[in-house]
Amino acid sequence: NADNKIKFLGRVDMNLVEKLMAVDKKEFDKIEKKMIFSRQMTKLLGEKASVTIQAISGDYFMPLSASGLDDNGNIDYGRAFDINAKVAAAGIINPNLKDENLLQHLGVATPAEAAKKIFKGEINWISAEIAELSGFGEEKKADKEIKN
């Protein structure tokens, strides 16, 4: 019966609201962090090195990602590396790419330029890790889980 189904769905939705209301408010503001191995930093430092990344907000990530598209909505590969460097600079928290002394030492003006200089091609992989940590790039996996 369609009416029962609607009521059932209403109960499920209300149950989810109740569950969300039971979650500590601080949980919604937590920023997920992760350490990842960096081949490029390992090479530079001469010892095994990891970087700490954190999730970045959709308010920052989505417009930045969209700026890497051409007028037809296709990826502009000429801009992709710059966009990935900006994502990496926003998401890498250790080393602190915003440190003025580091920027000066590297001879660059922005954290994104520092990211390019330190991580080189590894930038693309690091930005993908940050995107995934931020909840982007999981659509296919989520769709598969919902279908199963």
Side-chain angles (χ1 to χ4, degrees), residues 19-79:
K19 287 179 180 181
L20 286 169
M21 297 290 288
V23 173
D24 186 327
K25 289 180 188 177
K26 293 175 189 166
E27 289 295 315
F28 296 103
D29 295 325
K30 279 189 178 175
I31 298 173
E32 199 169 344
K33 296 178 175 109
K34 176 181 173 181
M35 285 185 70
I36 58 172
F37 174 74
S38 169
R39 290 182 308 276
Q40 192 59 36
M41 281 217 352
T42 296
K43 189 188 308 181
L44 284 169
L45 301 176
E47 61 185 55
K48 201 169 197 174
S50 294
V51 298
T52 305
I53 60 171
Q54 70 178 9
I56 59 177
S57 75
D59 292 333
Y60 182 78
F61 183 81
M62 293 310 289
L64 191 55
S65 294
S67 70
L69 302 177
D70 65 19
D71 294 337
N72 296 322
N74 299 313
I75 295 173
D76 179 344
Y77 291 101
R79 291 188 244 168

